[in-house]
Structures are given as structure tokens and as C-alpha cells.
Amino acid sequence: MNLVVLQNWLDNASFAILFLTMLVYWGGAAFPNLPYLAALGTAGMAIANLCMATLLGARWIEAGYFPLSNLYESLFFLTWGITTVHLIAESSSRSRLVGVVTSPVAMLIAAFATMTLPSQMQASEPLVPALKSNWLMMHVSVMMLSYSALMVGALLAIAFLIVTRGQNIQLQGSSVGTGGYRSNGYRLHKAAELISQPPAPSAENNGFARFESSSNGNANTAVLNLVTTSGPQTVASSEPLSPQRLSLAETLDNISYRIIGLGFPLLTIGIIAGGVWANEAWGSYWSWDPKETWALITWLVFAAYLHARITRGWQGLRPAILAATGFVVVWVCYLGVNLLGKGLHSYGWFF
């Protein structure tokens, strides 16, 4: 089969599969009693991932170089990376909400590459002399994978903000930095223990108290019960979150932290590799090109995120807002300066 025809078929197939997968994930969120939709969504993401991997492989064979030389190729490599990180995050979290936020982004990127870019930007062309280097694969591929991981981590942080309705809640889990496992303000009581007075709700326990009950000899079940008290001083300013939302929020926060923790070292390695390549090609490690400047800004934003979590012990609302800000910064770094700015990394599409 002609490789060009195969590529045209695969990019359209990738977009169509991602669109259907997005609908499946959204349908699964709207109708949680249909468990097969989650498996169907995961299968759709895996198939789209395989289609894009085949597309990039065919492109590599046709052009004779690693397919990351223009915007079309990098967009599909980014989408492939997002679907790969999505599959890792979904497997770790067991939550279909991961696909609710990642599938539309992957679909929109594929649609932009397939339907919006001019045909001359989609065609493979001979490499310019500066790109004829092994650093093309070593630098650009690592940077694109870091963008994928950071975007997915930031999207999960945005999902956390949606699930928690922007409330500042206390979390339990291993992603809260030096604080380790936080108590979360829950009170644990044995089944036979007499509770004379229910604990008062606070910001730390999210308006819930935790009790253990036993229906048979040895089986203990931890139950979250909403605590209510009288008096104007204890009136909550917002509706408490349900135990299901709290559990989902903890999962999203933990997976977001871990995925960003994966993307940040990749970003660091990619920036270092880019500096070495720049020195080899242009005789300077750093020239304050717009792309280099925004890569540094991106690095600083996510360095602040990890510092706040690991050293300062931040968790919940504040780091999620910082990660959501990082999502915008990554897009400016990846696409904004390439299309609108002037510099060594500019694609020159608009200007």
C-alpha cells in the first residue's frame, strides 16, 4: 500500500476513533450504571494510540527520519503521548473520569492536525541542515513526552477542582509531601464503643465523621456519616462533599501528582538536551529564544508545584490551581510561541 495513502487513512481514523471514545467516556460519566462503557472507552483509546503509532512509523519509513520535523508530525506525536499517559493513569486510578478530561483534548489536537493545518504543512519535506542530527530524536521526543505527561497531570488537577467544586479540603494519601498520611479529621470508633457526643464538623473533615461498625464477628466496615450540629457558629458555608466525591478527589489528586512527577524530569532532560544541540548547531547553549524562554517558565511553574507539595506539604486546592495554570503555560510554550512568535522554533504559519 502507498504510505501516503495509509497516513491519510490513519490520521482520519485516529480522529474518528478519538471522537467516538470521547462520547463513550462522557456517556459513561452520565450513566455510571453501564460498566461496559468504561472498558469500551479504554479500548478506544488503545486503538487510537495504535493507529497514531502506525501513522508515525509509516511517516518515518517514508521520509527516512524521525517524524518530528514539522507541526503536523509533532501534533500527532503529542496526541500519541497523551493517549499513552492516559492509559497509564487510567490503569493506576481505575477511574473513568480520567478519560472524560483527556479524550476531548486528544480529539481536538487530532482534529486540528487533520482538518486545520494547510496541506503543505502536512507533507513531509527534506530536513534543513540544522535538523540533520541525532539530537532531533533525543531532544524533541523527550520534550513532547514531557508535554504529554504534564498536560495529562494538569487535566487531572482541573478535574479535581471540578469534583471538589473548588473547596479547600483535606486529603489522605501518599501525595501530600512531607506530611505523609494526613488524619483528615476523621474520628475512628470501634463498633462496641459508645459515642456520647458526635464530633463537630470542621474544614479538615469536610463535614463528615467516620465510624466503624460491625455486623458480624470479625468484619469491620468503615462508614462515613455526615455530622450536623446546632448553633450558628457551626453552619457550613458550602455543601459538604459526599464520600464518593472525596474518594474520587483523593484519587485524582494522587494520580495528577504522580503524572506531573513523571513529566517534570522529562522536561528537565529535554531542556538540557536542547541546550547541547543548540551549542552544536549555533554555537550557544542558550540564546533566550521565545521557545527557550517559555520552556524555562514552564519548568519554573512545575518546579514550584513539586516544591510546594514535597517541601511545603501543600495538597488539595492550591497545588491544583498551580497545575491548572501550568496547563495554559505548556500550551503557550508548545504552540503559542511556535505559531505567533518569531525565533528559531517558529513554524511561521501566522506570521
Side-chain angles (χ1 to χ4, degrees):
M1 178 183 291
N2 189 311
L3 290 178
V4 176
V5 175
L6 178 63
Q7 293 170 39
N8 292 335
W9 185 87
L10 286 172
D11 61 7
N12 286 282
S14 300
F15 162 71
I17 293 170
L18 287 171
F19 178 73
L20 294 175
T21 301
M22 179 190 71
L23 296 180
V24 168
Y25 274 116
W26 286 4
F31 304 99
N33 295 328
L34 301 176
Y36 65 88
L37 289 180
L40 195 59
T42 303
M45 275 290 193
I47 294 171
N49 181 276
L50 181 61
C51 286
M52 287 180 286
T54 307
L55 166 64
L56 293 171
R59 190 91 170 186
W60 194 348
I61 295 173
E62 178 205 358
Y65 55 82
F66 193 71
L68 274 175
S69 64
N70 60 25
L71 181 58
Y72 174 83
E73 295 168 351
S74 70
L75 284 170
F76 269 105
F77 192 90
L78 177 68
T79 311
W80 174 82
I82 289 175
T83 56
T84 300
V85 177
H86 159 89
L87 293 172
I88 296 172
E90 190 175 60
S91 175
S92 301
S93 66
R94 307 287 183 183
S95 173
R96 71 178 68 188
L97 192 61
V98 175
V100 172
V101 293
T102 58
S103 58
V105 173
M107 185 273 297
L108 289 173
I109 297 174
F112 178 73
T114 304
M115 303 178 182
T116 306
L117 290 182
S119 57
Q120 62 269 23
M121 293 191 68
Q122 298 185 22
S124 59
E125 297 179 352
L127 291 177
V128 297
L131 296 180
K132 293 180 180 180
S133 170
N134 291 330
W135 289 105
L136 173 66
M137 180 188 302
M138 299 173 65
H139 164 63
V140 183
S141 62
V142 174
M143 289 296 294
M144 298 306 299
L145 289 174
S146 72
Y147 291 158
S148 301
L150 293 175
M151 284 182 185
V152 172
L155 284 170
L156 295 178
I158 294 172
F160 170 86
L161 293 174
I162 295 173
V163 167
T164 60
R165 307 190 190 111
Q167 297 184 29
N168 190 15
I169 66 173
Q170 293 288 323
L171 299 173
Q172 290 174 317
S174 59
S175 66
V176 292
T178 56
Y181 282 83
R182 295 184 183 271
S183 65
N184 208 24
Y186 293 122
R187 292 175 179 266
L188 287 172
H189 302 272
K190 294 181 180 179
E193 182 180 348
L194 177 64
I195 303 171
S196 58
Q197 183 177 1
S202 66
E204 290 188 353
N205 62 18
N206 310 309
F208 287 85
R210 191 172 202 162
F211 305 96
E212 285 192 354
S213 62
S214 178
S215 58
N216 49 44
N218 298 319
N220 289 332
T221 305
V223 181
L224 282 171
N225 291 329
L226 177 62
V227 178
T228 56
T229 59
S230 59
Q233 70 277 10
T234 59
V235 176
S237 60
S238 58
E239 181 182 355
L241 299 178
S242 67
Q244 292 79 9
R245 277 180 176 264
L246 288 174
S247 177
L248 181 57
E250 289 183 351
T251 299
L252 290 173
D253 179 80
N254 189 280
I255 297 300
S256 172
Y257 169 68
R258 294 174 185 275
I259 294 298
I260 291 176
L262 171 65
F264 182 76
L266 292 174
L267 179 64
T268 304
I269 295 171
I271 292 175
I272 294 173
V276 175
W277 187 13
N279 182 65
E280 180 183 291
W282 301 305
S284 174
Y285 287 99
W286 194 271
S287 58
W288 294 104
D289 180 75
K291 184 79 165 184
E292 296 172 350
T293 304
W294 276 97
L296 178 61
I297 294 173
T298 304
W299 189 91
L300 291 174
V301 169
F302 286 101
Y305 171 89
L306 293 175
H307 172 76
R309 297 204 69 140
I310 297 172
T311 304
R312 305 294 297 177
W314 282 17
Q315 53 82 52
L317 179 64
R318 291 183 295 177
I321 293 176
L322 191 56
T325 303
F327 180 76
V328 178
V329 173
V330 169
W331 271 112
V332 174
C333 176
Y334 167 61
L335 200 58
V337 297
N338 288 52
L339 295 181
L340 300 178
K342 296 181 180 179
L344 298 173
H345 295 81
S346 178
Y347 290 119
W349 184 28
F350 293 152
F351 297 102

